[in-house]
């Protein structure tokens, strides 16, 4: 099983739609979780950290499910500008490092 | 603050040539990283540093070298470039630990022909 696994997509959704991505991780001892956003040919940028109790930032909601070892990202009222690749990032292993998923591509259309 | 800066933005090398990718951060971060990203793949850690004078290998260190003489700078050296090193290289930094939020530079697109 991969350390961090994501559906590559693409997810094609119309503007205004709600879309959700999941990401599974293999190490039950993982403690740090993030969602990063990467635009085409650009660097990854932090979108939000994921806390145990779940957290919200405007139209974005992140959830952590430790029992099933996955994190989720919900985007409400999608905008054209949300089109990007969303990277799931988890700390894994005894070396305490971050592992980046391969990303889920979102395309928001008119 | 400029954050993390990288030079050059683009570079084409011939097989067997060498080059240094520059990375500088002005956030006084202790931790710095070099990643490579191949098309459709996740970020792979090449080398990292936990402070000036201390570096360690990541997942894919072969063919690369690093040094960290100052807190701000973390250059990546490619010796004897090979086509397999064609990739986008990102430098990143973090403040508290290796599992803290990482801030990325804009990347260097390298092609080896």
């Amino acid at each position: 099983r991969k350390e961090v696994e994501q559906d590559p997509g693409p997810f094609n959704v119309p503007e205004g739609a709600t879309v959700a991505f999941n990401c599974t991780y293999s190490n039950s001892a993982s403690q740090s979780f993030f969602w990063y956003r990467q635009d085409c040919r650009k660097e990854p940028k932090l979108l939000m950290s994921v806390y145990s109790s779940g957290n919200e930032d405007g139209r974005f909601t992140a959830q952590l499910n430790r029992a099933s070892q996955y994190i989720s990202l919900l985007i409400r009222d999608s905008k054209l500008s949300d089109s990007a690749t969303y990277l799931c990032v988890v700390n894994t292993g005894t070396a305490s490092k971050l592992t980046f998923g391969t990303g889920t591509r979102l395309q928001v259309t008119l | 603050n400029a954050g993390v800066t990288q030079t050059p933005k683009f570079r084409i090398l011939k097989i067997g040539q060498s080059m240094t990718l520059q990375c500088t951060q002005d956030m006084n971060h202790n931790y710095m990283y070099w990643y490579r990203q191949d098309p459709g793949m996740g970020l792979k850690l090449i080398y990292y540093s936990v402070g000036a004078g201390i570096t360690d290998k990541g997942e894919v260190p072969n063919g690369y070298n690093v040094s960290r003489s100052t807190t701000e700078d973390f250059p990546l050296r490619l010796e004897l470039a090979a086509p397999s090193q064609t990739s986008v290289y990102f430098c990143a930094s973090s403040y508290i630990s290796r599992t803290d939020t990482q801030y990325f530079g804009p990347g260097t697109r390298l092609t080896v022909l």
Side-chain angles (χ1 to χ4, degrees):
Chain A
R1 184 178 176 184
K2 285 185 181 178
E3 289 182 298
V4 179
E5 205 148 5
Q6 295 184 253
D7 181 341
F11 284 62
N12 293 301
V13 301
E15 247 190 328
T18 295
V19 62
F21 314 131
N22 281 348
C23 163
T24 58
Y25 60 94
S26 61
N27 190 335
S28 59
S30 295
Q31 294 293 328
S32 302
F33 308 90
F34 307 90
W35 283 104
Y36 276 69
R37 170 193 169 127
Q38 186 172 24
D39 292 301
C40 188
R41 301 176 74 84
K42 298 282 191 182
E43 74 272 24
K45 292 185 179 177
L46 178 69
L47 178 67
M48 57 199 304
S49 302
V50 185
Y51 303 122
S52 296
S53 55
N55 47 302
E56 191 173 304
D57 183 2
R59 298 181 292 108
F60 299 84
T61 301
Q63 297 276 358
L64 167 64
N65 185 316
R66 286 194 185 276
S68 300
Q69 292 182 210
Y70 73 85
I71 64 173
S72 63
L73 178 67
L74 180 80
I75 305 175
R76 289 181 298 278
D77 189 22
S78 298
K79 311 289 184 193
L80 291 173
S81 57
D82 293 334
S83 297
T85 297
Y86 291 84
L87 307 178
C88 169
V89 185
V90 180
N91 87 300
T92 54
T94 55
S96 191
K97 62 182 177 73
L98 290 184
T99 297
F100 288 75
T102 53
T104 297
R105 195 157 71 88
L106 171 66
Q107 184 67 49
V108 181
T109 56
L110 287 171
Chain B
N1 284 356
V4 180
T5 57
Q6 291 182 238
T7 57
K9 286 189 168 57
F10 306 93
R11 185 72 186 267
I12 297 175
L13 283 182
K14 292 183 179 177
I15 294 172
Q17 287 185 319
S18 301
M19 76 164 293
T20 299
L21 281 66
Q22 302 291 347
C23 174
T24 300
Q25 54 92 9
D26 63 359
M27 298 176 283
N28 202 31
H29 285 177
N30 290 318
Y31 296 79
M32 295 188 74
Y33 315 84
W34 275 106
Y35 293 92
R36 60 176 287 172
Q37 186 176 38
D38 299 324
M41 306 293 285
L43 291 158
K44 299 292 184 189
L45 183 65
I46 305 171
Y47 270 95
Y48 68 96
S49 169
V50 301
I54 308 169
T55 63
D56 208 347
K57 295 177 181 178
E59 303 168 74
V60 290
N62 291 345
Y64 308 95
N65 274 303
V66 293
S67 60
R68 184 98 180 267
S69 56
T70 67
T71 300
E72 295 78 19
D73 300 306
F74 190 40
L76 177 72
R77 177 87 178 155
L78 276 73
E79 305 282 1
L80 298 175
S84 60
Q85 293 179 305
T86 294
S87 190
V88 180
Y89 292 84
F90 290 106
C91 178
S93 70
S94 63
Y95 183 46
I96 298 173
S97 71
R98 290 183 62 194
T99 57
D100 191 16
T101 303
Q102 294 186 13
Y103 298 87
F104 285 80
T108 294
R109 295 187 174 276
L110 176 67
T111 302
V112 182
L113 300 173

